[in-house]
Amino acid sequence: MNHSEIKERIQHNMAKANLEVKELRVQPDPFTGWRIAVVSSGFAAKSQSERYRIALAGLEELTIQWLDLLTPDEREWAGNLPLDSTLEDLPLWPEALARGSNIPQQVVFPSDLDEDLELPIITTFYSLRGGVGRSTSLAYTGKILASRGRTVLCVDMDLEAPGLAALFGKEKEISNGQGLLSVLLALDQGERPDLRNHILRLSETDELYCLPAGLPDANYARLLNFIDPGAWYREERNPLRDLMQMLSNELPFKPDVILLDARTGITPLNGPLLFDLSDMAIIVFFPHPQTLTGTKALVQALLAARTQRLEQRFTPELRFLVSPIPASKAPEVVERYQHRTVEWISDWLSSLTEEKQFLESDITHFIPYREVIATSDQILSDRETWQNFEPVAEWLELFLPTKSEQRLEAISISDNKAQVLSELQFSPGTAEYQQNFLETFVETELVNKALKPKTPLVLGRKGTGKTAIFRRIMEDDQSSSVVVLSPSPLKKDSFWVISPEGFKAIEQALTTTNLSWREFWTIYTCLACYLSPLGQRRLPEKTLANILEEEPDTELTVVRCIEKLLEVPQSGLLAKDWLSRLDQAFEPNTIMLFDGLDTGFGNTQTDRERRTQAIAGLLSLITDIGDNLRNLKFKLLLREDIWRKLRFENKSHFFGRSVTLTWTQQVDFFMVVLQQALGSASFKQIVDSISVKDLVVIGDYWRESIVFEWWNLLVGERMKGGKSSFTRNWVWNRLADGSNNRSPRALLQLFTAATAWEKREEQKNPYGKTIIRPRALSSSLEEVSKEVLDAVKEEFPELEGLIQQLRKLGRSPFQASELSGGLDEELSLAQEVGLLAVYEGTENDVQRYKVPDLYRLGIRPLA
């Protein structure tokens, strides 16, 4: 009897006995016989033998491997039941390979759709044989996508040989019980683990994450025996599908792509990854005859597969990564492998209808052997090593939303340059002192994310725009905000803002009362909300209110008030209650602003230690109560290097809820200077006089073509010299630090200097093609370099000794051995802040360093 005949017989038997069938499941056992489950309220008060006699009448000859005859109440505790299925569409290797012999004519790939797939795009990197760089390719692809602003989650599905975290240099961060194996087993038991505790963040600047397999030890090996994907696809609870649903929708961040690193070979877990879960399968192989038969069978199975996408059952997109192509100087050797690969793939896809045929060159990429990659312990940060993997990233980019680009014809400039130069004003200083701030503030996607009330933490290096975010929120008439802590120049009427001396006094009070910085921040935040112009004067519980009878009106009285409040028993709980009262009085999405933490504690070593402890306490407070406040929202602006060194519980809770201010797009970066240039009425008149069809602004975002045209109008398109280059690329590269980060402050400093230089030069040698000639940029870079170097020395005085040594060397790059000993901490800090970069070698074994152009001119020997 077959599946349908057995079900019909059971339904007939139950109807004959006047028993209603609530649920009926029939499934072939993978070895022999059948699995049967029947649920009926009519089974109540009947013994198992009676139930058997009624339901299975006429089926006594069946071989039954699993039988459940249950009432609905019994169903509640019975656990997983078998699926009602013929199991013909199981995404397991035997069934998938069998289906490969009968590829359906109607094959629908995700690329056949006009609409975008709902994110994330799930991609499996798979190789039938080892040693072809599968994990390395995945790691570089993830890094490239993240560097382009994508949110990427890499998952180590190689449970038998975990190692993906090691490729990112993060293996030591994996703790016992952390990782994919523990998550899958918890899901198998019906639990809902907190995935935040299992995910590693791989980059402080990019949204790049990893779910490691786990920490391979004796217990890991024991637990691995409980992984049974075959059972998951035969029973109603499927931990793999639950995992993908949670990774896609239940993380504190929303991945754009999920990259799955599958185990080599035909292993039980690989089948579901390839034939059920993936939108794209990237097959990594070397075209040796040993791989031909197996890879062909794999491709045919994939062409017959249908993924779990709810919108429509798709065939996974197929891509082929051929690696490693021998680094032979003989072109015929390389061509032999390439030609063989193309022939194989053409044959494997020959069963597709004509309209489904791909160009092999579009879906195939060749990775040449490179010793620097093959011999490295982890993926390299040098972007030059990424180039071979960029086409792989672009395969995925095709499925991610992008903005359309449009190029316009070149435009000309009018002859009122002198008037424009007299009006041009750039604000090269810090945001605290910038004039016409709101008129020139540039909003980008990243900046807008930082402005949102639901983003409590904004990180960035010095000069990347943290205080600009602070001012934008503080001075916005359309939103409500409370200044809790601010840089000194922005204190204005916020007399409660505490200075370094005030924090010293607070630390002494905390020591005396045996309280933590967390209690201080709770009290201090309440005071700021209470005393601010927006404050509703909502008094605290009477115990605290008595202390506020004489309302503080200076920093001194604020500090003394806090000292008294700290002495009250249970002051932390009382302040927490007060904050809840204040929260009810404020308008929704009132932002509590904290800025100036980097310098607000002072610059001595003791001051920095105090700062570290204080900020850790503040962040701990935010993670604890931030989400419980209905109307008040925390917004903390913090320097990136300070954040990296902080150690506190639940730091992972900021994953997906923080923004790191980086300038990774030229169009956004140059908008900063163009927005201020448009403050010149004469320059704006030139811009407005240009006749362009699809003009200029879409919301607050400018088309790249228009930004570059206006840029060319301001400073010209090409630099002049021995080797021409675009001015925008020249500025982009010269203003990058050793970590390839850029500061809008340095850009504005460059244009301030270039404008002054152009005014002087124009009197001697008029130039009518652009407002500022390109040569003004190169002539002004040294001045800017000295300014940014001075800022580094002011912020990090401990680097002075290293800078003096670099000045004596007078060149870049240079051998690491040329530096005097005892500078390990200084060298590490110099790389962290971008003053130095590794030119040759690895992070752990540096052969040569280089000083980026941004600092090189300022650091060269003094005349």
Side-chain angles (χ1 to χ4, degrees), residues 415-440:
D415 56 359
N416 59 350
K417 175 178 176 176
Q419 183 63 29
V420 174
L421 281 175
S422 67
E423 295 174 355
L424 278 182
Q425 288 187 349
F426 301 99
S427 300
T430 60
E432 295 97 309
Y433 300 101
Q434 187 172 326
Q435 301 295 319
N436 302 320
F437 175 77
L438 291 179
E439 290 81 357
T440 58

Side-chain angles (χ1 to χ4, degrees), residues 46-54:
K46 288 183 171 58
S47 67
Q48 285 296 318
S49 60
E50 288 180 287
R51 299 176 187 185
Y52 182 95
R53 179 179 55 79
I54 294 171

Side-chain angles (χ1 to χ4, degrees), residues 63 132 134 348 387 395 431 442 760:
T63 300
V132 292
R134 178 199 72 246
W348 298 340
Q387 293 179 358
W395 285 340
V442 173
R760 295 191 300 268

Side-chain angles (χ1 to χ4, degrees), residues 430-433 467 470-471 474 486-492 599:
T430 60
E432 295 97 309
Y433 300 101
T467 299
F470 178 95
R471 281 195 66 182
M474 182 184 70
S486 75
S488 296
L490 294 179
K491 286 181 64 173
K492 295 186 178 179
T599 58

